[in-house]
Amino acid sequence: MNANRIPDIIIGRLPIYLRALQRMADKGVQTTSSQELGDRVGISAAQIRKDISQFGEFGKQGTGYHITFLLDKLREILKIDRIWDVAVIGAGDMGHALARYQGFTNRGFRIAMVFDIAPEKIGQKIDEFVIQDMANMAEEIQKAGIQIAMLTVPAPVAQDVTDMLVKAGVKALLNYAPISLTVPEDVRVQHIDPATHLQRMTYYL
Amino acid sequence: MNANRIPDIIIGRLPIYLRALQRMADKGVQTTSSQELGDRVGISAAQIRKDISQFGEFGKQGTGYHITFLLDKLREILKIDRIWDVAVIGAGDMGHALARYQGFTNRGFRIAMVFDIAPEKIGQKIDEFVIQDMANMAEEIQKAGIQIAMLTVPAPVAQDVTDMLVKAGVKALLNYAPISLTVPEDVRVQHIDPATHLQRMTYYL
């Protein structure tokens, strides 16, 4: 097994398996099959077996997968068997929503900092977070060694802010701005785009 | 070709192709190849050719795809060659962000209504939208024939609100609550979950 060779499309499916498995575990289910997991996530059993077998032999013919074991393995593979600090850039509606989002708990992430550029927002609080001045963003992120940021600034400034984040050492960006970002090869961007999700459903209407 | 037989996983990739193609078109690019498109979206050229060929012969060996033609075809397939009205349920941070989101324009959707349950929010405005009383939600959605809703209510009430929406005729739900929803078979749910997107990137850190 050479982890570097795993196609990105397979890596992209692992968090989906993880979420479905976590839900089963939360309900007290102990084992599952690739068929059952596949039915839940809309991916074929064969594909799931193939994806998971890239990383080792985690299931058994007949018995299937032990859910907690597979969860642990997936978390290890995805490096979320630790807690990553995340910076929220932009304290608008979306920044507020992310700073307060309850869905990061036990999933490998913790919001550590929130930045904005508006003088009337700087120093204000979102629950326990004090909104910090974006002028100090690069320095604070670098000092804290933060590698992950969620970008919720307006589209026209998103590329400039991205450039600053990349210089500060950010390697993974979740982009909420409706714009395509240019980053160096060693930086990953995921785009959160509600329109794309909606377009996937209209086909069936 | 039998559209009903197209696997959901293929349908799910079409909006991603659409977005990449739209970006090329915005830059004035007229033709592309499955290789070029694949490089942009991180999917193999063979997969893209296979996916697109499910719907007809839209490309030519040697010339590749005419971008505006393929865009039109994809919009037609995904039924976003029209405008769908969408209801936003919950006028918290996320509801505000969605009501103001600039990324729906020209992509097949228009926010039509925003609902909340809090007396102090009802009647307030988010830009041009008056926040309506959730008590009237089912009736208003039914009357307007709205089939798509974005759910931004707190997790503990998300299932109840979903049940009301389904009764009112909603067939496609974009769920922002960090919870799994149960819906009838003819209703589609897409889950927007920032943690899943982040987990896809930590693998590379």
Side-chain angles (χ1 to χ4, degrees):
Chain A
M1 164 189 149
N2 180 340
N4 292 321
R5 293 232 193 111
I6 309 281
D8 183 54
I9 195 156
I10 294 182
I11 301 302
R13 286 193 285 260
L14 301 187
I16 297 167
Y17 302 157
L18 188 75
R19 189 170 62 200
L21 290 163
Q22 186 60 60
R23 281 175 186 164
M24 292 190 224
D26 290 345
K27 286 179 185 161
V29 184
Q30 298 194 328
T31 58
T32 189
S33 62
S34 47
Q35 187 63 53
E36 187 184 36
L37 183 57
D39 288 346
R40 282 174 181 253
V41 298
I43 293 171
S44 76
Q47 183 72 66
I48 288 179
R49 279 194 300 273
K50 204 174 144 198
D51 286 356
I52 292 177
S53 70
Q54 301 276 324
F55 303 94
E57 285 307 320
F58 301 149
K60 269 187 187 158
Q61 191 105 36
T63 3
Y65 300 105
H66 280 279
I67 292 177
T68 52
F69 177 77
L70 186 53
L71 276 171
D72 282 346
K73 284 293 169 194
L74 289 175
R75 287 199 195 100
E76 200 182 296
I77 292 163
L78 292 171
K79 299 189 197 159
I80 48 166
D81 51 353
R82 67 206 81 176
I83 303 285
W84 295 90
D85 280 343
V86 178
V88 175
I89 319 299
D93 298 323
M94 188 61 78
H96 275 77
L98 288 174
R100 290 182 177 136
Y101 187 63
Q102 298 300 308
F104 294 125
T105 316
N106 297 326
R107 297 180 67 196
F109 306 98
R110 170 175 61 196
I111 306 293
M113 299 175 183
V114 181
F115 294 93
D116 203 284
I117 202 168
E120 70 274 15
K121 285 186 185 164
I122 296 165
Q124 297 290 313
K125 289 185 91 175
I126 309 177
D127 298 343
E128 76 266 41
F129 301 107
V130 177
I131 301 170
Q132 300 186 64
D133 188 343
M134 217 185 273
N136 305 325
M137 181 182 75
E139 194 191 331
E140 291 295 330
I141 283 180
Q142 204 158 16
K143 210 163 62 183
I146 289 178
Q147 295 183 67
I148 305 175
M150 301 197 283
L151 195 63
T152 73
V153 300
V157 300
Q159 184 63 55
D160 285 350
V161 176
T162 297
D163 295 346
M164 287 192 279
L165 290 169
V166 168
K167 268 195 195 161
V170 166
K171 297 286 180 206
L173 256 170
L174 195 56
N175 175 29
Y176 282 81
I179 180 191
S180 171
L181 299 173
T182 305
V183 293
E185 273 205 1
D186 65 332
V187 176
R188 300 244 145 205
V189 176
Q190 283 274 307
H191 198 100
I192 289 219
D193 175 6
T196 303
H197 287 267
L198 293 178
Q199 287 172 347
R200 181 176 182 157
M201 298 191 286
T202 44
Y203 174 79
Y204 299 95
L205 294 182
Chain B
M1 162 190 147
N2 180 342
N4 292 322
R5 293 234 195 111
I6 309 279
D8 182 54
I9 195 157
I10 294 181
I11 301 303
R13 286 193 286 259
L14 300 186
I16 296 167
Y17 303 157
L18 188 76
R19 187 170 63 197
L21 289 163
Q22 187 60 59
R23 282 177 184 163
M24 292 190 225
D26 291 344
K27 286 180 184 160
V29 184
Q30 299 193 330
T31 58
T32 189
S33 62
S34 48
Q35 186 62 54
E36 188 184 37
L37 182 56
D39 288 346
R40 283 174 180 254
V41 298
I43 293 170
S44 76
Q47 184 71 66
I48 289 179
R49 279 193 301 273
K50 204 175 144 197
D51 287 354
I52 293 177
S53 70
Q54 303 275 324
F55 303 95
E57 285 307 319
F58 301 150
K60 269 186 187 157
Q61 190 105 37
T63 2
Y65 300 105
H66 279 279
I67 291 177
T68 53
F69 177 76
L70 185 54
L71 275 171
D72 282 347
K73 285 292 169 194
L74 288 175
R75 286 199 197 99
E76 201 181 294
I77 292 163
L78 292 171
K79 301 190 195 156
I80 47 167
D81 52 351
R82 69 206 78 176
I83 303 284
W84 297 89
D85 280 343
V86 178
V88 174
I89 319 301
D93 298 323
M94 189 62 77
H96 275 77
L98 288 174
R100 292 184 176 136
Y101 187 64
Q102 299 299 308
F104 294 125
T105 317
N106 298 325
R107 298 182 66 194
F109 307 97
R110 170 174 60 197
I111 306 294
M113 299 175 182
V114 181
F115 294 94
D116 203 284
I117 203 168
E120 71 274 16
K121 285 185 187 165
I122 296 164
Q124 298 290 315
K125 290 184 89 173
I126 308 177
D127 297 346
E128 76 265 44
F129 302 106
V130 177
I131 300 170
Q132 299 186 63
D133 189 343
M134 217 185 272
N136 306 324
M137 181 182 75
E139 193 191 333
E140 292 294 331
I141 283 180
Q142 205 158 18
K143 209 164 63 183
I146 289 178
Q147 295 182 68
I148 306 175
M150 300 196 284
L151 193 64
T152 73
V153 300
V157 300
Q159 184 62 55
D160 286 350
V161 175
T162 296
D163 294 346
M164 289 193 276
L165 290 169
V166 167
K167 268 195 195 160
V170 165
K171 296 285 181 208
L173 255 170
L174 195 55
N175 175 29
Y176 282 81
I179 181 193
S180 171
L181 299 172
T182 305
V183 294
E185 272 205 2
D186 64 331
V187 177
R188 300 243 147 207
V189 176
Q190 283 274 306
H191 198 101
I192 289 219
D193 174 6
T196 303
H197 286 267
L198 293 178
Q199 287 172 346
R200 183 179 179 153
M201 298 191 285
T202 43
Y203 174 79
Y204 299 96
L205 294 182

